Amino acid sequence: MKLSTNQSQRPVTTAISQNGNLMIGGCDTVELAKKYSTPLYVLDEATIRSTIADYKSAFSSYPDTNIMYASKALCTKAVATLLDSEGLGFDTVSAGEFYTFYKSGVNMAKVLFNGNNKTAEELELALDLGVGRISVDNFYELSLLNTIAEHKGRVADILLRVTPGIECHTHEYIQTGHLDSKFGFDLTQIDSAIELILQKYNHLKIHGLHAHIGSQIFETSIYPDEIEILCFEISRIAKKFGLRLNEINMGGGFGVKYVDTDVPPSIYEIGKLVTDKLKQCIEKYNIPPPTLFLEPGRSIISPAGVTLYTIGSSKQVPHGRKFVSVDGGMADNPRPSLYHAQYSAQIANKKSSSKTETITICGRYCESGDVLIKEIELPKTEAGDILCVYNTGAYNYSMASNYNRVPRPAMVLVKDGHSDLIIKRETWEDLIKNDIVP
Ligand code: LLP
């Protein structure tokens, strides 16, 4: 099966310069670190575009497929503009996310608003800004949204978020499709929800079903299972209620390769399994071909991103391990401490053939758990070396904090030897700007 970018640990443009430095997007990463300071998030445009090309080609046998980038992975105006230029739609889970797309000039009809406890204020803003679909998660929200739409004299276009009851093997915090989940209607609750929409909530128009099983998934069989369940439900609803649903949103969750031992499936394999299954189900259940929506987040943006750090102090524990500290850590990348996530890295200014040592890379934050990489073999490190951690495009900046009152890093977009600042580095002044002394 053809390889796709989610199966590669590094950006597609990764290279070594003549002087032995690590290059990304045609830019020398050591020079980037000098110019913009560290920690620095670097995003490679070519990798993002190549991933999207993989998705488009992998699902091309079912032309009515739409990719809705799950913006929780990384949501900034530059990312919105770039992905919009590729024709993607956007999955959002807060007003802050869909406001970013609005301010980036995205056609809001291509935006979906999703989440298990949207506030009334957020739902109002979604209707005011013309968000295309709202994926309603529960009975409380059906009623709330109907009331808000009624007050505005509007009809809200919705999907029903359902829990298909499929378990996947990933970290339990990022599983969502199993039955005992906080997200979505249980399959046994769908009929009551549809009855309410058809009989009582006149300000809601339902277009389809939405599900999401989990994140960083390596199994492939769960996707056709999910398609089967959603198609079966659509045909059942058509028969029972005479209601035609035209949209199936299968969520995201496609895995990426953080370390050598990760073996995520090719997007081409998933595309073939899903589109074959969908075509089969259309015949089997005799349903009109629905529009298919995918919501990949991590797999679109993670491999394109790296983080550059400067190495500072180190400590050799007598008869123990050697800790090497960098100038960032759990506040710019909370994933190792939250999910025991693993990462691979390289010294940007040293040839990998140099004499190596096994070290623990820890962050600068006041917590023993602030370890970025537990054990890695790298060329012998010195203070001032630049460390490049791979696959940090997703859920790093978006989950970053100001823990220990440290400003969040800058982000640059690199392409063909050129770099653009897309997120400014925070200043100490930024940190206190909302403080009020009564
Ligand atoms: N659609 C829905 C409804 C979701 O809840 C999610 C992720 C996605 C799509 C995108 O999933 P992806 O393709 O990115 O795997 N913070 C965690 C990941 C949480 C994912 C939550 N939902 C992490 O750092 O691993």
Side-chain angles (χ1 to χ4, degrees), residues 70 72-73 91 93 114 161 173-174 176 183 210-212 214-217 251-254 258 295-299 335 338-339 394-395 399:
K72 59 179 79 64
D91 162 45
V93 287
N114 186 27
R161 168 80 184 257
Y173 290 1
I174 51 180
T176 44
F183 294 103
H210 178 209
H212 171 77
S215 197
Q216 184 59 355
I217 299 176
F254 318 111
Y258 287 108
E295 276 175 355
R298 186 191 317 264
S299 53
R335 301 193 68 260
L338 255 180
Y339 314 117
Y395 304 112
M399 293 173 68

Side-chain angles (χ1 to χ4, degrees), residues 69-312:
Y69 167 66
S71 63
K72 59 179 79 64
L74 176 64
C75 186
T76 83
K77 286 169 78 177
V79 168
T81 306
L82 199 163
L83 299 186
D84 192 37
S85 77
E86 288 281 347
L88 267 55
F90 300 98
D91 162 45
T92 63
V93 287
S94 71
E97 286 183 353
F98 65 71
Y99 188 71
T100 307
F101 292 102
Y102 175 70
K103 293 299 267 188
S104 308
V106 167
N107 172 3
M108 295 304 280
K110 296 198 316 185
V111 174
L112 164 73
F113 184 24
N114 186 27
N116 68 305
N117 194 22
K118 308 167 186 85
T119 66
E121 193 188 8
E122 288 181 310
L123 291 169
E124 283 193 25
L125 188 65
L127 291 180
D128 291 345
L129 298 186
V131 165
R133 294 281 182 273
I134 297 176
S135 182
V136 177
D137 200 89
N138 48 60
F139 289 107
Y140 169 76
E141 191 179 298
L142 276 180
S143 157
L144 179 65
L145 181 60
N146 185 66
T147 308
I148 292 172
E150 187 174 2
H151 281 149
K152 291 185 182 294
R154 299 270 304 276
V155 171
D157 293 298
I158 68 164
L159 305 175
L160 271 198
R161 168 80 184 257
V162 300
T163 314
I166 296 172
E167 297 226 5
C168 57
H169 297 106
T170 185
H171 193 285
E172 88 174 278
Y173 290 1
I174 51 180
Q175 278 188 348
T176 44
H178 55 301
L179 288 176
D180 185 21
S181 161
K182 75 168 180 174
F183 294 103
F185 291 91
D186 189 272
L187 296 181
T188 59
Q189 298 171 324
I190 294 181
D191 287 6
S192 314
I194 302 265
E195 272 161 23
L196 284 167
I197 295 166
L198 294 180
Q199 290 160 20
K200 189 167 167 206
Y201 297 144
N202 302 328
H203 292 265
L204 303 182
K205 177 166 169 49
I206 178 168
H207 295 267
L209 301 180
H210 178 209
H212 171 77
I213 295 170
S215 197
Q216 184 59 355
I217 299 176
F218 289 175
E219 297 124 291
T220 49
S221 62
I222 55 175
Y223 297 113
D225 289 352
E226 182 190 3
I227 294 289
E228 174 94 38
I229 292 172
L230 293 176
C231 288
F232 170 76
E233 288 300 324
I234 282 188
S235 78
R236 200 184 57 71
I237 291 166
K239 277 186 209 129
K240 181 163 176 187
F241 297 100
L243 176 67
R244 182 175 156 185
L245 299 180
N246 302 316
E247 297 178 10
I248 284 188
N249 184 323
M250 61 174 281
F254 318 111
V256 301
K257 188 176 179 72
Y258 287 108
V259 288
D260 284 341
T261 47
D262 288 336
V263 192
S266 164
I267 297 302
Y268 291 92
E269 184 184 348
I270 296 169
K272 177 151 180 36
L273 285 170
V274 167
T275 53
D276 283 355
K277 185 66 172 191
L278 184 53
K279 288 180 222 161
Q280 262 175 32
C281 286
I282 289 167
E283 284 203 9
K284 177 172 166 190
Y285 296 113
N286 191 23
I287 51 174
T291 302
L292 174 68
F293 293 86
L294 322 171
E295 276 175 355
R298 186 191 317 264
S299 53
I300 298 267
I301 210 78
S302 184
V306 304
T307 308
L308 303 177
Y309 300 97
T310 302
I311 288 179

Side-chain angles (χ1 to χ4, degrees), residues 294-363:
L294 322 171
E295 276 175 355
R298 186 191 317 264
S299 53
I300 298 267
I301 210 78
S302 184
V306 304
T307 308
L308 303 177
Y309 300 97
T310 302
I311 288 179
S313 65
S314 60
K315 172 184 175 180
Q316 176 66 61
V317 178
H319 314 296
R321 44 184 175 152
K322 180 173 176 185
F323 288 97
V324 171
S325 301
V326 294
D327 54 356
M330 65 188 292
D332 61 76
N333 182 0
R335 301 193 68 260
S337 32
L338 255 180
Y339 314 117
H340 301 293
Q342 292 182 293
Y343 284 88
S344 68
Q346 185 172 338
I347 303 291
N349 54 305
K350 281 186 177 153
K351 292 204 175 69
S352 48
S353 56
S354 338
K355 201 173 166 330
T356 62
E357 60 180 354
T358 299
I359 55 173
T360 293
I361 297 181
C362 55

